[in-house]
Coordinates of all heavy atoms in Angstrom, one line a residue:
M1 N -49.9 17.4 -33.9 CA -48.6 17.6 -34.6 C -48.8 16.7 -35.9 O -49.3 15.6 -35.9 CB -47.5 17.2 -33.8 CG -46.2 17.1 -34.7 SD -44.7 16.6 -33.8 CE -44.6 17.9 -32.7
E2 N -48.5 17.2 -37.0 CA -48.6 16.4 -38.2 C -47.2 15.8 -38.5 O -46.2 16.2 -38.1 CB -48.8 17.5 -39.5 CG -50.2 18.1 -39.3 CD -51.3 17.1 -39.3 OE1 -51.2 16.2 -40.2 OE2 -52.3 17.3 -38.6
L3 N -47.2 14.7 -39.4 CA -46.0 14.0 -39.7 C -44.9 14.9 -40.4 O -43.7 14.7 -40.2 CB -46.3 12.8 -40.6 CG -47.1 11.7 -39.8 CD1 -47.3 10.6 -40.9 CD2 -46.4 11.2 -38.6
S4 N -45.4 15.8 -41.1 CA -44.5 16.8 -41.9 C -43.7 17.6 -40.8 O -42.6 18.3 -41.3 CB -45.1 17.6 -42.9 OG -46.2 18.4 -42.3
E5 N -44.2 17.8 -39.7 CA -43.6 18.6 -38.6 C -42.5 17.9 -37.8 O -41.9 18.5 -37.0 CB -44.6 19.3 -37.8 CG -45.7 20.2 -38.5 CD -46.8 20.5 -37.6 OE1 -46.8 20.1 -36.4 OE2 -47.7 21.4 -38.0
V6 N -42.5 16.5 -37.9 CA -41.5 15.8 -37.1 C -40.1 15.9 -37.6 O -39.9 15.6 -38.7 CB -42.0 14.3 -37.1 CG1 -41.0 13.5 -36.3 CG2 -43.4 14.1 -36.4
I7 N -39.3 16.5 -36.7 CA -37.9 16.6 -37.1 C -36.9 15.6 -36.4 O -36.1 15.0 -37.0 CB -37.5 18.1 -36.8 CG1 -38.3 19.0 -37.7 CG2 -36.1 18.3 -37.1 CD1 -38.1 20.5 -37.4
F8 N -37.3 15.5 -35.1 CA -36.3 14.7 -34.2 C -37.0 13.5 -33.9 O -37.9 13.3 -33.0 CB -36.0 15.5 -32.9 CG -35.4 16.7 -33.1 CD1 -36.0 17.9 -33.0 CD2 -34.0 16.8 -33.6 CE1 -35.4 19.2 -33.3 CE2 -33.4 18.0 -33.8 CZ -34.1 19.2 -33.6
I9 N -36.7 12.3 -34.7 CA -37.4 11.0 -34.4 C -36.8 10.4 -33.2 O -37.3 9.4 -32.8 CB -37.3 10.1 -35.7 CG1 -35.8 9.8 -36.1 CG2 -37.9 10.8 -36.9 CD1 -35.7 8.7 -37.1
D10 N -35.6 10.8 -32.7 CA -34.9 10.2 -31.6 C -36.0 10.4 -30.3 O -35.8 9.6 -29.3 CB -33.7 10.8 -31.3 CG -32.6 10.4 -32.4 OD1 -32.8 9.4 -33.1 OD2 -31.6 11.0 -32.4
N11 N -36.7 11.4 -30.4 CA -37.6 11.7 -29.2 C -38.9 10.9 -29.3 O -39.7 10.9 -28.3 CB -37.9 13.1 -29.1 CG -36.7 14.0 -28.9 OD1 -35.7 13.4 -28.3 ND2 -36.6 15.2 -29.3
L12 N -39.2 10.1 -30.4 CA -40.4 9.4 -30.5 C -40.3 8.1 -29.9 O -39.2 7.5 -30.0 CB -40.7 9.2 -32.0 CG -41.0 10.6 -32.8 CD1 -41.1 10.2 -34.3 CD2 -42.3 11.3 -32.3
P13 N -41.4 7.5 -29.4 CA -41.4 6.0 -29.1 C -41.1 5.2 -30.3 O -41.6 5.5 -31.4 CB -42.7 5.7 -28.6 CG -43.5 7.0 -28.7 CD -42.7 8.1 -29.3
S14 N -40.1 4.2 -30.2 CA -39.8 3.5 -31.4 C -39.6 2.1 -31.1 O -39.4 1.5 -29.9 CB -38.4 4.0 -32.0 OG -37.4 3.8 -31.1
I15 N -39.7 1.2 -32.1 CA -39.5 -0.2 -32.1 C -38.6 -0.7 -33.2 O -38.7 0.0 -34.3 CB -40.9 -1.1 -32.2 CG1 -40.6 -2.5 -32.0 CG2 -41.6 -0.7 -33.6 CD1 -41.8 -3.3 -31.9
D16 N -37.6 -1.5 -32.9 CA -36.7 -2.1 -33.8 C -37.0 -3.4 -34.4 O -37.1 -4.3 -33.5 CB -35.2 -1.9 -33.4 CG -34.1 -2.2 -34.3 OD1 -34.5 -2.8 -35.4 OD2 -33.0 -1.9 -34.0
L17 N -37.3 -3.6 -35.7 CA -37.7 -4.9 -36.2 C -36.6 -5.6 -36.9 O -36.8 -6.6 -37.6 CB -38.9 -4.7 -37.1 CG -40.1 -3.9 -36.4 CD1 -41.2 -3.7 -37.5 CD2 -40.8 -4.7 -35.3
H18 N -35.4 -5.2 -36.7 CA -34.2 -5.8 -37.4 C -34.2 -7.4 -37.0 O -34.3 -7.6 -35.9 CB -32.9 -5.2 -37.1 CG -32.6 -4.0 -37.8 ND1 -33.0 -2.8 -37.3 CD2 -32.1 -3.8 -39.0 CE1 -32.5 -1.8 -38.2 NE2 -32.1 -2.4 -39.3
G19 N -34.0 -8.2 -37.9 CA -33.9 -9.6 -37.6 C -35.0 -10.4 -37.5 O -35.0 -11.6 -37.3
L20 N -36.3 -9.8 -37.7 CA -37.4 -10.5 -37.5 C -38.0 -10.8 -38.9 O -37.6 -10.4 -39.9 CB -38.6 -9.6 -36.9 CG -38.2 -9.1 -35.5 CD1 -39.4 -8.2 -35.0 CD2 -38.0 -10.2 -34.5
D21 N -38.8 -12.0 -38.9 CA -39.5 -12.4 -40.1 C -40.7 -11.5 -40.3 O -41.1 -10.8 -39.4 CB -39.8 -13.9 -40.2 CG -40.7 -14.3 -39.0 OD1 -42.0 -14.0 -39.2 OD2 -40.3 -14.8 -38.0
S22 N -41.3 -11.6 -41.6 CA -42.5 -10.8 -41.9 C -43.7 -10.9 -40.9 O -44.3 -9.9 -40.4 CB -42.9 -11.0 -43.3 OG -42.0 -10.7 -44.2
A23 N -44.0 -12.2 -40.6 CA -45.1 -12.4 -39.7 C -45.0 -11.9 -38.3 O -45.8 -11.2 -37.7 CB -45.4 -13.9 -39.6
T24 N -43.7 -12.1 -37.8 CA -43.4 -11.5 -36.5 C -43.4 -10.0 -36.4 O -43.8 -9.4 -35.5 CB -42.0 -12.1 -35.9 OG1 -42.0 -13.5 -35.9 CG2 -41.7 -11.6 -34.6
A25 N -42.8 -9.5 -37.6 CA -42.8 -7.9 -37.6 C -44.3 -7.3 -37.7 O -44.5 -6.4 -37.1 CB -42.1 -7.5 -39.0
R26 N -45.2 -8.0 -38.3 CA -46.5 -7.6 -38.3 C -47.1 -7.6 -37.0 O -47.7 -6.5 -36.6 CB -47.4 -8.5 -39.3 CG -48.9 -8.1 -39.4 CD -49.7 -8.9 -40.4 NE -49.6 -10.3 -40.0 CZ -49.0 -11.2 -40.7 NH1 -48.3 -11.0 -41.7 NH2 -49.0 -12.5 -40.4
V27 N -47.0 -8.7 -36.2 CA -47.6 -8.7 -34.9 C -46.9 -7.8 -33.9 O -47.7 -7.0 -33.2 CB -47.3 -10.2 -34.3 CG1 -47.8 -10.3 -32.9 CG2 -48.2 -11.2 -35.1
K28 N -45.6 -7.6 -34.0 CA -45.0 -6.7 -33.1 C -45.3 -5.2 -33.5 O -45.5 -4.4 -32.6 CB -43.4 -6.7 -33.3 CG -42.9 -8.1 -32.9 CD -42.8 -7.9 -31.2 CE -42.2 -9.2 -30.8 NZ -42.2 -9.3 -29.3
T29 N -45.6 -4.9 -34.7 CA -46.1 -3.6 -35.2 C -47.5 -3.3 -34.7 O -47.6 -2.2 -34.0 CB -46.1 -3.4 -36.7 OG1 -44.7 -3.6 -37.2 CG2 -46.6 -2.2 -37.1
L30 N -48.4 -4.3 -34.7 CA -49.7 -4.0 -34.2 C -49.7 -3.9 -32.6 O -50.4 -3.0 -32.1 CB -50.6 -5.2 -34.6 CG -51.0 -5.3 -36.1 CD1 -51.6 -6.6 -36.5 CD2 -51.8 -4.2 -36.5
E31 N -48.9 -4.8 -32.0 CA -48.8 -4.6 -30.6 C -48.3 -3.2 -30.1 O -48.6 -2.5 -29.1 CB -48.0 -5.7 -29.9 CG -48.4 -7.0 -30.0 CD -47.5 -8.1 -29.4 OE1 -46.3 -7.9 -29.3 OE2 -47.9 -9.3 -29.4
F32 N -47.2 -2.7 -30.9 CA -46.7 -1.4 -30.6 C -47.6 -0.3 -30.8 O -47.7 0.7 -30.1 CB -45.3 -1.2 -31.5 CG -44.6 0.0 -31.2 CD1 -44.0 0.1 -30.0 CD2 -44.4 1.0 -32.3 CE1 -43.2 1.3 -29.8 CE2 -43.7 2.0 -32.0 CZ -43.1 2.3 -30.8
I33 N -48.4 -0.5 -31.9 CA -49.6 0.5 -32.0 C -50.5 0.6 -30.9 O -50.8 1.6 -30.4 CB -50.2 0.3 -33.4 CG1 -49.3 0.6 -34.6 CG2 -51.5 1.2 -33.4 CD1 -49.9 0.1 -35.9
N34 N -50.9 -0.6 -30.5 CA -51.9 -0.7 -29.4 C -51.3 -0.1 -28.1 O -52.0 0.5 -27.3 CB -52.3 -2.1 -29.2 CG -53.3 -2.5 -30.3 OD1 -53.9 -1.8 -30.9 ND2 -53.3 -3.8 -30.6
D35 N -50.0 -0.5 -27.8 CA -49.4 -0.1 -26.6 C -49.3 1.4 -26.6 O -49.6 2.1 -25.5 CB -48.1 -0.7 -26.4 CG -48.0 -2.1 -26.0 OD1 -49.1 -2.7 -25.8 OD2 -46.9 -2.8 -26.3
N36 N -49.0 2.0 -27.7 CA -48.7 3.6 -27.7 C -50.1 4.2 -27.7 O -50.3 5.3 -27.2 CB -47.8 4.0 -28.9 CG -46.4 3.8 -28.6 OD1 -45.9 4.6 -27.9 ND2 -45.8 2.6 -29.1
K37 N -51.2 3.6 -28.3 CA -52.5 4.2 -28.3 C -52.9 4.3 -26.7 O -53.5 5.4 -26.3 CB -53.4 3.3 -29.0 CG -54.8 3.9 -29.2 CD -55.6 3.0 -30.1 CE -57.1 3.6 -30.1 NZ -57.8 2.8 -31.1
I38 N -52.6 3.2 -25.9 CA -53.0 3.2 -24.5 C -52.2 4.3 -23.9 O -52.8 5.0 -23.0 CB -52.7 1.8 -24.0 CG1 -53.8 0.8 -24.6 CG2 -52.8 1.8 -22.4 CD1 -53.5 -0.6 -24.2
M39 N -50.9 4.5 -24.2 CA -50.0 5.5 -23.5 C -50.3 6.8 -24.0 O -49.8 7.8 -23.3 CB -48.6 4.9 -23.6 CG -48.2 3.7 -22.9 SD -46.4 3.5 -22.9 CE -46.2 2.9 -24.6
G40 N -51.0 7.0 -24.9 CA -51.3 8.4 -25.5 C -50.3 9.0 -26.3 O -50.3 10.2 -26.6
N41 N -49.4 8.2 -27.1 CA -48.5 8.6 -27.9 C -49.1 8.6 -29.3 O -49.4 7.6 -29.9 CB -47.3 7.8 -27.9 CG -46.6 7.8 -26.6 OD1 -46.5 8.9 -25.9 ND2 -46.1 6.7 -26.1
D42 N -49.3 9.8 -30.0 CA -50.0 9.7 -31.4 C -49.1 9.7 -32.5 O -49.4 9.3 -33.5 CB -50.8 11.0 -31.4 CG -50.0 12.2 -31.4 OD1 -48.9 12.3 -30.8 OD2 -50.5 13.3 -32.0
I43 N -47.7 9.8 -32.2 CA -46.8 9.7 -33.4 C -45.7 8.6 -32.9 O -45.0 8.8 -31.7 CB -46.0 11.0 -33.8 CG1 -47.1 11.9 -34.3 CG2 -45.0 10.7 -34.8 CD1 -46.7 13.2 -34.8
I44 N -45.4 7.7 -33.7 CA -44.4 6.6 -33.4 C -43.5 6.3 -34.5 O -43.7 6.8 -35.7 CB -45.2 5.3 -33.0 CG1 -46.1 4.8 -34.2 CG2 -46.0 5.4 -31.8 CD1 -46.7 3.4 -34.0
C45 N -42.4 5.7 -34.2 CA -41.3 5.4 -35.2 C -41.1 3.9 -35.2 O -40.9 3.3 -34.1 CB -40.1 6.1 -34.8 SG -38.6 5.8 -35.9
I46 N -41.1 3.4 -36.4 CA -40.8 1.9 -36.6 C -39.6 1.8 -37.4 O -39.5 2.2 -38.5 CB -42.1 1.2 -37.3 CG1 -43.4 1.5 -36.5 CG2 -41.8 -0.2 -37.5 CD1 -44.6 1.2 -37.1
V47 N -38.6 1.2 -36.8 CA -37.3 1.0 -37.5 C -37.3 -0.4 -38.1 O -37.4 -1.4 -37.5 CB -36.1 1.1 -36.5 CG1 -34.8 0.9 -37.3 CG2 -36.2 2.4 -35.7
H48 N -37.4 -0.5 -39.5 CA -37.5 -1.8 -40.2 C -36.2 -2.0 -41.0 O -36.0 -3.1 -41.4 CB -38.7 -1.7 -41.1 CG -38.9 -0.4 -41.9 ND1 -38.0 -0.1 -42.9 CD2 -39.8 0.5 -41.8 CE1 -38.4 1.1 -43.4 NE2 -39.5 1.4 -42.7
G49 N -35.3 -1.1 -41.0 CA -34.1 -1.2 -41.9 C -34.3 -1.2 -43.3 O -35.5 -1.0 -43.8
I50 N -33.3 -1.4 -44.1 CA -33.3 -1.3 -45.6 C -33.4 -2.6 -46.2 O -34.3 -3.2 -46.7 CB -32.2 -0.4 -46.2 CG1 -32.3 1.1 -45.6 CG2 -32.3 -0.4 -47.6 CD1 -31.1 1.8 -45.9
G51 N -32.2 -3.4 -46.0 CA -32.2 -4.8 -46.5 C -32.8 -5.1 -47.7 O -32.7 -4.3 -48.7
S52 N -33.5 -6.2 -47.9 CA -34.3 -6.7 -49.0 C -35.6 -5.8 -49.2 O -36.2 -6.1 -50.3 CB -34.5 -8.1 -49.0 OG -35.4 -8.4 -47.9
G53 N -36.1 -5.3 -48.1 CA -37.3 -4.5 -48.2 C -38.6 -5.3 -47.8 O -39.6 -4.7 -47.7
R54 N -38.5 -6.5 -47.5 CA -39.6 -7.3 -47.1 C -40.2 -6.8 -45.8 O -41.4 -6.8 -45.7 CB -39.2 -8.8 -46.9 CG -39.1 -9.6 -48.3 CD -38.7 -11.0 -48.0 NE -37.5 -11.1 -47.2 CZ -36.7 -12.0 -47.2 NH1 -37.0 -13.1 -47.9 NH2 -35.5 -12.1 -46.6
I55 N -39.4 -6.5 -44.8 CA -40.0 -6.0 -43.5 C -40.6 -4.6 -43.7 O -41.8 -4.4 -43.2 CB -39.0 -5.9 -42.4 CG1 -38.1 -7.3 -42.3 CG2 -39.5 -5.5 -41.1 CD1 -39.2 -8.5 -41.7
K56 N -40.1 -3.8 -44.5 CA -40.7 -2.5 -44.7 C -42.0 -2.6 -45.4 O -43.0 -2.0 -45.1 CB -39.7 -1.6 -45.7 CG -40.4 -0.3 -46.0 CD -39.5 0.6 -46.9 CE -39.8 0.2 -48.3 NZ -39.3 1.0 -49.3
E57 N -42.0 -3.5 -46.4 CA -43.4 -3.8 -47.1 C -44.3 -4.4 -46.1 O -45.6 -4.0 -46.2 CB -43.1 -4.8 -48.3 CG -42.3 -4.2 -49.5 CD -42.0 -5.4 -50.5 OE1 -42.5 -6.4 -50.4 OE2 -41.2 -5.0 -51.3
E58 N -44.0 -5.2 -45.3 CA -45.0 -5.8 -44.3 C -45.4 -4.7 -43.3 O -46.6 -4.7 -43.1 CB -44.3 -7.0 -43.6 CG -45.3 -7.7 -42.7 CD -46.3 -8.4 -43.5 OE1 -46.1 -8.9 -44.6 OE2 -47.5 -8.4 -43.0
V59 N -44.5 -3.9 -42.9 CA -44.9 -2.9 -42.0 C -45.8 -1.8 -42.7 O -46.8 -1.5 -42.1 CB -43.7 -2.0 -41.5 CG1 -44.0 -0.7 -40.8 CG2 -42.8 -2.9 -40.5
H60 N -45.5 -1.4 -43.9 CA -46.5 -0.5 -44.7 C -47.8 -1.1 -44.9 O -48.8 -0.4 -44.8 CB -45.8 0.0 -45.9 CG -44.7 1.0 -45.6 ND1 -44.2 1.9 -46.5 CD2 -43.9 1.4 -44.5 CE1 -43.3 2.6 -46.1 NE2 -43.1 2.3 -44.8
K61 N -47.8 -2.4 -45.2 CA -49.0 -3.1 -45.4 C -49.8 -3.1 -44.1 O -51.1 -2.9 -44.1 CB -48.8 -4.5 -45.9 CG -50.0 -5.3 -46.4 CD -49.8 -6.5 -47.1 CE -49.2 -7.5 -46.2 NZ -49.1 -8.9 -46.8
T62 N -49.3 -3.4 -43.0 CA -49.9 -3.5 -41.7 C -50.4 -2.0 -41.3 O -51.5 -1.9 -41.0 CB -48.9 -3.9 -40.6 OG1 -48.4 -5.2 -41.0 CG2 -49.5 -4.0 -39.3
L63 N -49.6 -1.0 -41.6 CA -50.1 0.3 -41.3 C -51.2 0.7 -42.1 O -52.2 1.4 -41.7 CB -48.9 1.3 -41.4 CG -47.7 1.1 -40.4 CD1 -46.6 2.1 -40.8 CD2 -48.2 1.5 -39.0
K64 N -51.1 0.4 -43.4 CA -52.2 0.8 -44.5 C -53.5 0.3 -44.0 O -54.6 0.9 -44.2 CB -51.8 0.3 -45.8 CG -52.8 0.7 -46.8 CD -52.4 0.0 -48.3 CE -53.3 0.5 -49.4 NZ -52.9 0.0 -50.7
F65 N -53.6 -0.9 -43.6 CA -54.8 -1.6 -43.3 C -55.3 -1.5 -41.7 O -56.3 -2.1 -41.3 CB -54.8 -3.1 -43.7 CG -54.8 -3.2 -45.2 CD1 -53.6 -3.7 -45.8 CD2 -56.0 -2.8 -46.0 CE1 -53.5 -3.8 -47.2 CE2 -55.8 -2.9 -47.3 CZ -54.6 -3.4 -48.0
S66 N -54.5 -1.0 -41.0 CA -54.8 -0.7 -39.5 C -55.8 0.4 -39.3 O -55.7 1.5 -39.9 CB -53.5 -0.4 -38.8 OG -54.0 -0.1 -37.4
K67 N -56.8 0.1 -38.6 CA -57.9 1.1 -38.4 C -57.5 2.2 -37.4 O -58.0 3.3 -37.3 CB -59.2 0.5 -37.9 CG -58.9 -0.2 -36.5 CD -60.3 -0.9 -36.0 CE -60.2 -1.6 -34.7 NZ -59.0 -1.5 -33.9
D68 N -56.4 2.0 -36.7 CA -55.8 2.9 -35.7 C -54.8 3.9 -36.3 O -54.3 4.7 -35.6 CB -55.1 2.2 -34.6 CG -56.1 1.4 -33.8 OD1 -57.2 1.9 -33.6 OD2 -55.9 0.1 -33.4
V69 N -54.4 3.8 -37.5 CA -53.3 4.5 -38.3 C -54.0 5.6 -39.2 O -54.8 5.3 -40.0 CB -52.4 3.7 -39.0 CG1 -51.3 4.5 -39.7 CG2 -51.7 2.7 -38.1
I70 N -53.6 6.9 -38.9 CA -54.2 8.0 -39.7 C -53.4 8.1 -40.9 O -53.7 8.3 -42.0 CB -54.2 9.3 -38.8 CG1 -55.1 9.1 -37.7 CG2 -54.6 10.5 -39.7 CD1 -55.1 10.3 -36.6
D71 N -51.9 8.1 -40.7 CA -51.0 8.4 -41.7 C -49.7 7.9 -41.4 O -49.4 7.7 -40.2 CB -50.9 10.0 -42.0 CG -50.1 10.3 -43.2 OD1 -50.0 9.4 -44.2 OD2 -49.7 11.4 -43.3
Y72 N -48.8 7.6 -42.4 CA -47.5 7.1 -42.2 C -46.6 7.4 -43.3 O -47.1 7.7 -44.4 CB -47.5 5.6 -42.0 CG -47.9 4.8 -43.2 CD1 -47.0 4.3 -44.2 CD2 -49.3 4.5 -43.5 CE1 -47.3 3.6 -45.2 CE2 -49.6 3.7 -44.6 CZ -48.7 3.3 -45.5 OH -49.1 2.5 -46.6
K73 N -45.3 7.5 -43.1 CA -44.5 7.9 -44.2 C -43.0 7.5 -43.7 O -42.8 7.4 -42.6 CB -44.5 9.3 -44.7 CG -43.9 10.3 -43.6 CD -44.0 11.7 -44.2 CE -43.3 12.7 -43.3 NZ -43.1 13.9 -43.7
L74 N -42.1 7.3 -44.8 CA -40.7 7.1 -44.6 C -40.1 8.3 -44.1 O -40.5 9.4 -44.5 CB -40.0 6.6 -45.9 CG -40.2 5.2 -46.4 CD1 -39.5 5.0 -47.7 CD2 -39.6 4.3 -45.3
V75 N -39.2 8.2 -43.2 CA -38.3 9.3 -42.7 C -37.5 9.7 -43.8 O -36.8 9.0 -44.5 CB -37.5 9.0 -41.5 CG1 -36.7 10.1 -41.0 CG2 -38.4 8.5 -40.2
F76 N -37.5 11.0 -44.1 CA -36.8 11.6 -45.4 C -35.3 11.3 -45.2 O -34.8 10.9 -46.3 CB -37.0 13.1 -45.4 CG -36.3 13.8 -46.6 CD1 -36.6 13.6 -47.8 CD2 -35.2 14.5 -46.3 CE1 -36.0 14.2 -48.9 CE2 -34.4 15.1 -47.3 CZ -34.8 15.0 -48.6
Y77 N -34.6 11.5 -44.2 CA -33.2 11.3 -44.1 C -32.8 10.0 -43.5 O -31.6 9.6 -43.3 CB -32.5 12.4 -43.2 CG -33.3 12.6 -41.8 CD1 -32.8 11.8 -40.8 CD2 -34.3 13.4 -41.7 CE1 -33.3 12.0 -39.5 CE2 -34.8 13.6 -40.4 CZ -34.3 12.8 -39.4 OH -34.9 12.9 -38.1
N78 N -33.7 9.0 -43.4 CA -33.4 7.7 -43.0 C -34.4 6.7 -43.4 O -35.4 6.5 -42.8 CB -33.3 7.5 -41.4 CG -32.9 6.2 -41.0 OD1 -32.8 5.3 -41.8 ND2 -32.6 6.1 -39.7
V79 N -34.4 6.1 -44.7 CA -35.4 5.4 -45.3 C -35.5 4.0 -44.5 O -36.4 3.2 -45.1 CB -35.1 5.2 -46.8 CG1 -35.3 6.6 -47.4 CG2 -33.8 4.5 -47.2
G80 N -34.8 3.8 -43.6 CA -34.9 2.6 -42.8 C -35.8 2.7 -41.7 O -36.2 1.8 -40.8
C81 N -36.5 3.9 -41.5 CA -37.6 4.1 -40.6 C -38.9 4.7 -41.2 O -38.8 5.5 -42.1 CB -37.0 5.2 -39.6 SG -35.5 4.8 -38.6
T82 N -39.9 4.3 -40.6 CA -41.2 4.8 -40.9 C -41.9 5.4 -39.7 O -41.8 4.9 -38.7 CB -42.1 3.7 -41.4 OG1 -41.5 3.2 -42.6 CG2 -43.5 4.2 -41.7
I83 N -42.4 6.7 -39.8 CA -43.1 7.3 -38.7 C -44.6 7.3 -39.0 O -45.0 7.2 -40.2 CB -42.8 8.7 -38.5 CG1 -42.7 9.6 -39.7 CG2 -41.4 8.8 -37.9 CD1 -42.6 11.1 -39.5
A84 N -45.4 7.0 -38.0 CA -46.9 6.9 -38.2 C -47.6 7.7 -37.2 O -47.1 7.9 -36.1 CB -47.2 5.4 -38.1
K85 N -48.7 8.3 -37.6 CA -49.6 9.0 -36.7 C -50.8 8.0 -36.4 O -51.4 7.5 -37.4 CB -50.1 10.2 -37.4 CG -51.0 11.1 -36.4 CD -51.2 12.5 -37.1 CE -52.1 13.3 -36.1 NZ -51.5 13.8 -34.9
I86 N -51.1 7.8 -35.2 CA -52.1 6.9 -34.7 C -53.3 7.6 -34.0 O -53.2 8.8 -33.5 CB -51.7 5.8 -33.8 CG1 -50.9 6.3 -32.5 CG2 -50.7 4.8 -34.6 CD1 -50.5 5.3 -31.6
K87 N -54.5 7.1 -34.2 CA -55.7 7.6 -33.5 C -55.5 7.3 -32.0 O -55.3 6.1 -31.6 CB -56.9 7.0 -34.0 CG -57.3 7.4 -35.5 CD -58.6 6.7 -35.9 CE -58.6 6.3 -37.3 NZ -59.8 5.6 -37.7
L88 N -55.9 8.2 -31.2 CA -56.0 8.0 -29.7 C -57.4 7.6 -29.2 O -57.4 7.2 -28.0 CB -55.3 9.2 -29.0 CG -53.8 9.4 -29.4 CD1 -53.4 10.6 -28.5 CD2 -53.0 8.3 -29.0
T89 N -58.3 8.1 -30.0 CA -59.7 7.6 -29.5 C -60.5 6.6 -30.3 O -60.0 6.3 -31.3 CB -60.5 9.0 -29.6 OG1 -60.6 9.5 -31.0 CG2 -60.1 10.0 -28.7

């Protein structure tokens, strides 16, 4: 499944990073990617909120440089969430 085909994000495994600082958000994002890779989930949802944008920037930087992430994008109708496609092998 491609990210453009994802319609219902409520059915995706998700993590909520509200209230975390940037460093903790980065660690939690990497742990979440690893956990879902092990469980065989190839598409995940990361809820970072809107706020000042620092957590979103940290999440996107983490996803950009992760060797396990194929693609990621903001959810069209909820810019406080990012969905990502991860490599399972």
Side-chain angles (χ1 to χ4, degrees):
M1 177 182 290
E2 295 299 319
L3 291 182
S4 60
E5 298 171 357
V6 175
I7 297 172
F8 301 107
I9 63 170
D10 292 340
N11 297 333
L12 298 175
S14 63
I15 186 171
D16 189 342
L17 303 177
H18 281 97
L20 300 180
D21 59 78
S22 295
T24 306
R26 180 178 58 252
V27 171
K28 292 287 187 184
T29 300
L30 290 171
E31 288 175 351
F32 186 62
I33 290 168
N34 288 333
D35 291 347
N36 280 282
K37 188 174 177 180
I38 291 168
M39 290 187 288
N41 299 322
D42 64 337
I43 299 180
I44 59 173
C45 179
I46 302 166
V47 180
H48 43 69
I50 300 171
S52 66
R54 284 183 297 203
I55 302 301
K56 179 184 86 169
E57 288 174 12
E58 189 64 37
V59 166
H60 284 198
K61 186 168 69 171
T62 302
L63 295 173
K64 180 179 180 178
F65 293 109
S66 173
K67 63 181 177 11
D68 294 323
V69 176
I70 298 169
D71 191 18
Y72 65 92
K73 69 176 188 173
L74 283 174
V75 176
F76 177 73
Y77 53 89
N78 184 353
V79 293
C81 298
T82 296
I83 54 173
K85 184 168 180 74
I86 57 177
K87 292 184 213 175
L88 296 181
T89 57

